[in-house]
């Protein structure tokens, strides 16, 4: 894989090149064994500007203004697949680049390298960037299922921006998903399902890859699709399962899989966000009438806490992103229909609602908090 030198984009003044040096992290980690203090330094994208709340009810402090001349729906600060790691950094994809930023200085982000998606590394303060090449040119005439459209490559980056080792390409037909104590985990396309008409739906297995050859060494699940991934968990759905309990949580550190906890209000719909320590899973529940409940699952103890109906979950794509952010044991939920902000402490079960709604637009996002 050819090395690519990260470069800041002049159109996005909030980004700075990694060459300017690492940012200083002031947060600290927690083992999560006790309920954390109320979150401070809450960082949000308000839909064009970056705001910070000292506490959940504090006035908004603008860390980065909406650029002059930006259109009503234009948001240069938007991230995709954003997540706060246990070390404190907020990581996400910005217009084809993997970026890292610190909650204390959210207006400055370090560009790490090109990426179409990413996942956390088992090593602290590192992340894997995933890039792709078109399969017809990258796979050299190999016979592959038609649903295989790209060959993927991975490279591990230090979140400070310091140069790291070169990346490598994976075998055609394998999409990388997550890091584990045993090696990378990938989704192997085995064939196309012909029962869906003209559309080509891939039949996939979840496999563990050898760290040197990058070839599958073990199959974790056959005919399964990935629901969610996080620093210490991969959650998948068994496609040929005709009963309840078809969604499995796999612990990538302990090499152990368990079914998701049962929820009285409904069934996990396969859309959710995993906490940085891998213990908690915020997910949408499908009820008898709709998919509009939010729940927090304790993957260690097997419990389910229903947080009730959420207005911005109604009538939306179940595979789309949730506007929630885990910061240690705190789950911050942003309702993009009205600007309501809620914090749920997963350990104590304490819920705190902001007294006044935030001034947001439809592209608003919740990113994380300071960890101190």
């Amino acid at each position: 894989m050819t090395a690519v030198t990260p470069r800041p984009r002049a159109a996005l003044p909030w980004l700075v090149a990694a060459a300017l040096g690492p940012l200083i992290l002031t947060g600290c980690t927690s083992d999560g064994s006790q309920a954390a203090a109320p979150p401070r330094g809450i960082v949000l994208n308000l839909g064009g500007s970056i705001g910070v709340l000292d506490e959940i009810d504090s006035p908004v402090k603008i860390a980065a203004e909406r650029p002059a001349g930006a259109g009503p729906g234009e948001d240069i600060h938007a991230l995709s697949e954003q997540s706060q790691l246990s070390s404190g950094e907020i990581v996400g994809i910005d217009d084809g680049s993997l970026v890292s930023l610190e909650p204390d200085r959210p207006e400055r982000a370090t560009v790490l390298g090109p990426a179409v998606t990413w996942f956390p590394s088992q090593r602290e303060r590192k992340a894997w960037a995933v890039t792709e090449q078109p399969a017809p040119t990258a796979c050299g005439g190999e016979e592959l299922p038609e649903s295989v459209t790209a060959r993927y490559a991975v490279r591990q980056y230090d979140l400070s921006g310091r140069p790291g080792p070169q990346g490598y390409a994976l075998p055609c037909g394998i999409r990388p998903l997550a890091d584990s104590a045993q090696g990378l985990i990938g989704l192997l396309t085995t064939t196309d399902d012909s029962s869906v008409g003209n559309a080509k739906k891939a039949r996939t297995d979840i496999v563990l890859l050898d760290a040197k050859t990058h070839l599958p060494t073990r199959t974790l699940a056959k005919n399964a699709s990935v629901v969610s991934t996080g620093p210490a968990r991969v959650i998948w759905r068994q496609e040929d399962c005709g009963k309840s309990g078809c969604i499995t949580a796999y612990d990538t550190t302990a090499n152990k899989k368990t079914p998701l906890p049962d929820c009285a209000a409904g069934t996990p719909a396969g859309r959710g966000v995993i906490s940085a320590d891998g213990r908690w899973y915020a997910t949408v529940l499908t009820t008898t009438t709709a998919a509009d409940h939010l729940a927090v699952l304790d993957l260690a103890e097997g419990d389910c806490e229903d947080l009730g109906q959420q207005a911005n979950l109604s009538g939306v794509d179940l595979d789309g992103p949730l506007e929630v952010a885990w910061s240690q044991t705190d789950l911050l939920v942003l309702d993009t229909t009205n600007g309501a902000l809620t914090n749920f402490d997963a350990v104590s079960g304490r819920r705190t609602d902001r007294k006044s709604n935030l001034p947001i637009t439809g592209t608003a996002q919740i990113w994380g908090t300071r960890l101190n």
Side-chain angles (χ1 to χ4, degrees):
M1 177 178 175
T2 303
V4 178
T5 302
R7 294 182 182 274
R9 293 187 301 282
L12 301 185
W14 72 297
L15 294 174
V16 295
L20 294 180
L23 303 177
I24 298 174
L25 178 67
T26 59
C28 59
T29 59
S30 168
D31 63 6
S33 59
Q34 297 180 347
R40 297 177 180 272
I42 301 169
V43 184
L44 310 99
N45 171 13
L46 299 173
S49 61
I50 298 175
V52 179
L53 307 174
D54 288 339
E55 297 179 354
I56 194 167
D57 281 317
S58 298
V60 178
K61 295 180 180 179
I62 300 300
E65 298 279 358
R66 175 191 293 272
E74 185 178 359
D75 183 3
I76 70 165
H77 302 303
L79 299 177
S80 62
E81 303 182 33
Q82 71 274 12
S83 179
Q84 183 168 27
L85 303 185
S86 58
S87 53
E89 295 92 344
I90 297 165
V91 182
I93 302 292
D94 181 87
D95 195 24
S97 294
L98 182 66
V99 300
S100 170
L101 60 93
E102 307 254 358
D104 286 339
R105 302 184 67 184
E107 72 280 7
R108 291 171 61 88
T110 300
V111 182
L112 305 178
V116 295
T117 186
W118 74 283
F119 50 87
S121 170
Q122 287 277 311
R123 300 175 64 185
E124 189 169 338
R125 295 184 178 175
K126 295 184 184 294
W128 289 93
V130 180
T131 54
E132 61 183 20
Q133 293 179 288
T137 55
C139 296
E142 293 183 40
E143 292 187 11
L144 297 167
E146 290 185 32
S147 57
V148 176
T149 59
R151 184 180 190 182
Y152 296 95
V154 292
R155 184 175 184 180
Q156 187 170 233
Y157 286 95
D158 190 294
L159 298 184
S160 69
R162 288 188 294 270
Q166 294 295 311
Y168 54 86
L170 298 181
C172 291
I174 297 178
R175 177 165 67 89
L177 300 172
D179 199 2
S180 78
Q182 296 80 36
L184 294 188
I185 294 172
L187 194 68
L188 171 64
T189 299
T190 57
T191 187
D192 288 325
D193 188 347
S194 59
S195 64
V196 293
N198 293 329
K200 295 297 181 182
K201 181 182 178 181
R203 184 183 177 97
T204 54
D205 295 344
I206 299 170
V207 295
L208 182 68
L209 305 179
D210 183 85
K212 293 183 178 180
T213 67
H214 319 309
L215 296 173
T217 59
R218 184 157 57 93
T219 299
L220 302 178
K222 286 185 172 294
N223 192 21
S225 60
V226 175
V227 171
S228 186
T229 63
R233 290 286 195 279
V234 174
I235 297 178
W236 66 68
R237 179 191 292 109
Q238 203 68 45
E239 296 296 343
D240 54 359
C241 178
K243 56 182 178 60
S244 62
C246 298
I247 302 182
T248 296
Y250 177 75
D251 187 325
T252 60
T253 302
N255 187 23
K256 179 182 178 182
K257 54 186 178 181
T258 56
L260 289 190
D262 292 328
C263 298
T267 304
R271 178 179 174 223
V273 180
I274 304 171
S275 64
D277 63 1
R279 174 171 177 175
W280 311 97
Y281 182 48
T283 185
V284 179
L285 296 182
T286 301
T287 67
T288 55
T289 57
D292 59 2
H293 279 234
L294 184 65
V296 172
L297 310 186
D298 185 340
L299 301 179
E301 299 296 330
D303 297 327
C304 173
E305 180 74 22
D306 178 19
L307 303 187
Q309 290 180 311
Q310 306 289 319
N312 59 333
L313 297 182
S314 299
V316 296
D317 181 7
L318 292 181
D319 293 325
L322 285 178
E323 284 312 327
V324 304
W326 281 105
S327 183
Q328 296 182 328
T329 64
D330 284 309
L331 177 71
L332 288 145
V333 183
L334 177 63
D335 189 335
T336 54
T337 65
N338 58 18
L341 180 64
T342 298
N343 181 71
F344 176 75
D345 186 319
V347 174
S348 68
R350 182 177 62 248
R351 172 176 175 157
T352 306
D353 296 308
R354 179 178 166 87
K355 293 183 175 64
S356 61
N357 291 359
L358 293 162
I360 65 169
T361 70
T363 58
Q365 300 173 314
I366 180 75
W367 286 353
T369 75
R370 294 198 309 264
L371 298 190
N372 58 338

